[in-house]
């Protein structure tokens, strides 16, 4: 079983913000696979399906970003052997650039730090670059509305396809 986690914050005010790119990737994967997210369960919205003979569960934690590990750990407890792939924004990558990492620390990303604190570092990451605006406070920047919409939409689609290639 493969658990795909899109990181973001729940709520209308966070839609289409840089910090919700992980949710956008989860939504794109669900769309590609013809899946629909159901009601909240185990601190996440989820959908399930199959791809290349593998069972997939895609989740969007309903906790805030800083507590994403809670939802991931609840799903991991149900399937201890689950392979975890996390889609996440990355301020240290130029906007639109995508990077895959097999494992690592949480770095400066509070969502990744939370997951590491609950399940350890042994999970894959697909990081989508959002760049950085040094003139704006970091928290304000990641929670601001996406300005380079076309570039980010293309990156989200590429990230979703990259995840499918890794399965």
């Amino acid at each position: 079983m493969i658990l795909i986690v899109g990181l973001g914050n729940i709520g209308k005010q966070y839609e289409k913000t840089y910090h919700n790119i992980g949710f956008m990737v989860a939504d794109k994967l669900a769309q590609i696979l013809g899946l629909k997210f159901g009601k909240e369960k185990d601190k996440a919205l989820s959908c399930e399906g199959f791809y290349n003979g593998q069972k997939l569960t895609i989740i969007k934690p309903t906790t805030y970003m800083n507590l994403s590990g809670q939802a991931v750990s609840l799903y991991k407890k149900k399937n201890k052997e689950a392979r975890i792939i996390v889609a996440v924004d990355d301020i240290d990558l130029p906007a639109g650039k995508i990077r895959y990492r097999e494992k690592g620390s949480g770095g400066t990303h509070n969502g990744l730090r939370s997951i590491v604190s609950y399940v350890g570092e042994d999970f894959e990451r697909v990081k989508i670059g959002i760049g950085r605006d040094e003139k704006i406070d970091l928290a304000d920047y990641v929670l601001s509305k996406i300005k380079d919409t076309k570039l980010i939409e293309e990156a989200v689609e590429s990230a979703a396809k990259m995840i499918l290639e890794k399965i």
Side-chain angles (χ1 to χ4, degrees):
M1 198 276 268
I2 300 172
L3 176 62
I4 300 168
V5 182
L7 293 186
N9 287 308
I10 289 292
K12 280 265 187 228
Q13 70 271 35
Y14 299 111
E15 287 179 8
K16 298 187 180 176
T17 63
Y18 290 105
H19 223 21
N20 270 32
I21 284 180
F23 277 9
M24 294 167 68
V25 172
D27 290 338
K28 179 57 76 175
L29 279 167
Q31 177 190 3
I32 291 169
L33 298 170
L35 305 175
K36 299 238 184 271
F37 284 93
K39 294 180 181 169
E40 181 181 358
K41 180 180 168 192
D42 294 327
K43 298 188 179 194
L45 300 173
S46 68
C47 57
E48 294 183 346
F50 287 87
Y51 183 77
N52 280 349
Q54 294 281 331
K55 181 179 180 189
L56 306 178
T57 300
I58 304 170
I59 69 168
K60 299 189 297 186
T62 54
T63 60
Y64 283 102
M65 180 72 77
N66 300 356
L67 302 173
S68 299
Q70 293 176 357
V72 175
S73 70
L74 290 171
Y75 279 83
K76 181 74 170 164
K77 283 178 187 172
K78 290 179 181 180
N79 191 329
K80 292 182 184 0
E81 301 303 314
R83 176 179 161 203
I84 301 171
I85 303 173
V86 177
V88 61
D89 62 282
D90 190 326
I91 59 161
D92 295 320
L93 289 174
K97 183 165 175 56
I98 300 167
R99 179 176 292 153
Y100 170 80
R101 302 245 347 238
E102 283 190 20
K103 59 182 172 179
S105 72
T108 59
H109 196 286
N110 289 329
L112 290 176
R113 282 181 175 172
S114 176
I115 295 171
V116 167
S117 74
Y118 279 89
V119 301
E121 295 181 358
D122 193 20
F123 61 91
E124 299 161 65
R125 296 132 170 91
V126 173
K127 298 178 173 190
I128 300 94
I130 61 170
R132 182 181 223 163
D133 186 338
E134 299 293 341
K135 299 175 197 147
I136 302 172
D137 175 71
L138 180 60
D140 291 337
Y141 177 69
V142 299
L143 296 176
S144 68
K145 297 292 183 187
I146 295 170
K147 292 167 188 61
D148 40 5
T149 309
K150 185 170 176 27
L151 176 69
I152 296 300
E153 285 174 356
E154 289 171 357
V156 164
E157 183 153 351
S158 294
K161 288 177 180 176
M162 177 185 281
I163 290 170
L164 293 175
E165 288 171 7
K166 299 287 180 186
I167 295 173

